[in-house]
Amino acid sequence: MHIYVQEEDFSQDALLRDIGKSSQTGAIVSFIGKVRDDTNTLHQLEIEHYPMMCKQALRAMAEDVKKRFLLEDVLIVHRFGKLNVGENIMMVATASSHRQAAFDGANFLMDYLKSNAPFWKKESFLDGTSKWVEPKESDAHAMTRW
Amino acid sequence: MDVKLTYFAWVRERIGLHDETYTTSATTAQELALELKERGENYSAAFHDLTLIRIAIDHEMAQWSACIKDAKEVAFFPPMTGG
């Protein structure tokens, strides 16, 4: 398992080289979340995190998803700090024997992370205002589908 | 009992502190929050509606009814928005 919490950007290529190295791995699925601006009003996205809790919370999630979907390997990288539009926020990758478990595992992990990983997003806008991102109702309920 | 309190996101902003050491005789997280709420305008602004706040005790998510008697650190924050 590979867990990274960092301020600097990451390279998908470099990270993917490290996961699913066992001969049992036949499928790797990866997902990247990026800073989006639907209305051309966003200046920056600031991500606050709880350093003392982050790694152990992400590791527990990765262990859970690995067991639940019988995955070969799991990777989570999540950034913190001030990010510009278009920058990478985070990435998950799952490795398994067959593709369905890798897809499902990555999907589950994203639902899990949204409401259980100790990060908080604050949007700063071009007009000088800012606001904390509210959790989406749909994210809170997403786990119920599993 | 001395406990380290840590605050994140708008809870931190409203209180005006990232963390502090606090002496309390509260036995549950809820008792602790209700005690903190009485400490001044900044605390009452942060703790006015506990349904908006989540907590972690010694870096593990916990319920309001959780015992804090052996806790070293209690964190208060809004629902997480990771991912």
Side-chain angles (χ1 to χ4, degrees):
Chain A
M1 271 189 318
H2 313 264
I3 310 291
Y4 307 98
V5 177
Q6 61 190 52
E7 190 158 14
E8 63 273 19
D9 196 10
F10 54 83
S11 154
Q12 182 184 28
D13 288 350
L15 291 170
L16 287 180
R17 273 198 291 276
D18 276 344
I19 95 151
K21 286 184 160 176
S22 85
S23 59
Q24 307 299 309
T25 296
I28 294 176
V29 165
S30 69
F31 169 89
I32 291 181
K34 296 171 58 132
V35 181
R36 187 183 81 241
D37 180 12
D38 293 335
T39 53
N40 293 322
T41 55
L42 191 68
H43 169 53
Q44 273 184 326
L45 183 71
E46 187 168 357
I47 300 178
E48 182 168 332
H49 74 308
Y50 187 175
M52 297 291 284
M53 185 173 166
C54 263
K55 272 209 159 181
Q56 72 184 56
L58 294 180
R59 185 163 291 280
M61 284 177 213
E63 274 169 13
D64 184 18
V65 76
K66 189 166 182 265
K67 272 193 212 132
R68 191 184 282 248
F69 295 93
L70 304 175
L71 301 174
E72 295 292 326
D73 207 356
V74 177
L75 174 143
I76 304 173
V77 53
H78 204 302
R79 295 179 66 193
F80 60 86
K82 290 179 179 168
L83 308 184
N84 295 314
V85 175
E87 281 196 67
N88 294 329
I89 300 172
M90 52 85 61
M91 171 177 153
V92 299
T94 49
S96 62
S97 301
H98 301 287
R99 72 176 188 277
Q100 199 61 49
F103 274 120
D104 289 347
N107 209 358
F108 174 88
L109 195 50
M110 284 309 303
D111 283 346
Y112 206 167
L113 273 165
K114 283 273 176 194
S115 23
N116 296 284
F119 295 89
W120 298 272
K121 296 193 184 104
K122 188 179 195 178
E123 293 172 324
S124 312
F125 299 97
L126 294 168
D127 66 3
T129 61
S130 61
K131 73 171 174 64
W132 290 98
V133 173
E134 298 274 340
K136 290 195 198 87
E137 193 81 358
S138 55
D139 287 338
H141 289 294
M143 283 303 285
T144 58
R145 69 194 170 114
W146 299 99
Chain B
M1 174 191 79
D2 280 355
V3 61
K4 183 182 179 188
L5 307 179
T6 51
Y7 310 113
F8 293 95
W10 57 254
V11 178
R12 170 181 56 73
E13 287 181 342
R14 287 182 194 179
I15 292 172
L17 286 174
H18 187 273
D19 59 73
E20 61 181 321
T21 301
Y22 180 69
T23 306
T24 182
S25 53
T27 55
T28 66
Q30 182 160 9
E31 280 177 32
L32 173 63
L34 294 174
E35 204 177 278
L36 291 170
K37 194 177 162 184
E38 302 304 319
R39 292 179 76 200
E41 274 180 28
N42 50 339
Y43 289 91
S44 62
F47 290 105
H48 77 282
D49 182 354
L50 297 190
T51 64
L52 301 177
I53 296 182
R54 303 289 177 269
I55 52 167
I57 298 175
D58 293 334
H59 316 129
E60 299 261 1
M61 292 299 290
Q63 302 295 321
W64 283 110
S65 57
C67 178
I68 57 158
K69 280 178 114 175
D70 299 319
K72 291 187 176 62
E73 182 170 327
V74 181
F76 298 93
F77 41 78
M80 298 159 173
T81 50

